[in-house]
Amino acid sequence: MRRSRHDQPPALHRAGQHPARSVPCTHCGARAHQPCVLRKSGRRLPESHPQRITDWARITACCPACQVEPGITCHDDGIPRAGVHARRYQEAEDTCA
């Protein structure tokens, strides 16, 4: 399967939707449980934005790499990361499974 630039493995609920749809998208403003949309045209996207997937992993799981709790941003030696560690994506998938 295809991986995004954040290199997170694909995860799907039984309904065929990514579990990241359970949180709002900070990129396009889509509400929780609604699909992401293009900001200019409003066209619905088949996949969630990478930022939404990152937010879902941050909210759902502890990070095994930097030992932070859910809701806390990952860091590298005290410097906050823009995204989350790849191991946190796996932990979030394991949590929702």
Side-chain angles (χ1 to χ4, degrees):
M1 295 192 97
R2 195 179 84 187
R3 292 182 185 224
S4 77
R5 65 184 176 94
H6 292 293
D7 200 36
Q8 73 268 11
L12 298 175
H13 275 270
R14 275 183 260 178
Q17 299 170 353
H18 195 284
R21 282 186 52 176
S22 65
V23 298
C25 182
T26 56
H27 181 76
C28 67
R31 293 177 291 163
H33 307 289
Q34 297 295 317
C36 286
V37 296
L38 291 176
R39 291 186 283 187
K40 281 192 170 186
S41 67
R43 186 176 68 91
R44 291 180 176 202
L45 299 175
E47 296 180 8
S48 297
H49 284 112
Q51 181 63 40
R52 189 178 202 173
I53 296 170
T54 298
D55 291 344
W56 164 75
R58 182 180 299 124
I59 291 168
T60 306
C62 295
C63 183
C66 62
Q67 304 297 315
V68 294
E69 298 176 359
I72 307 296
T73 304
C74 285
H75 61 85
D76 291 320
D77 297 323
I79 300 170
R81 292 177 59 109
V84 297
H85 291 105
R87 291 176 58 196
R88 194 168 192 172
Y89 289 115
Q90 184 62 44
E91 187 71 23
E93 289 175 9
D94 293 345
T95 300
C96 77

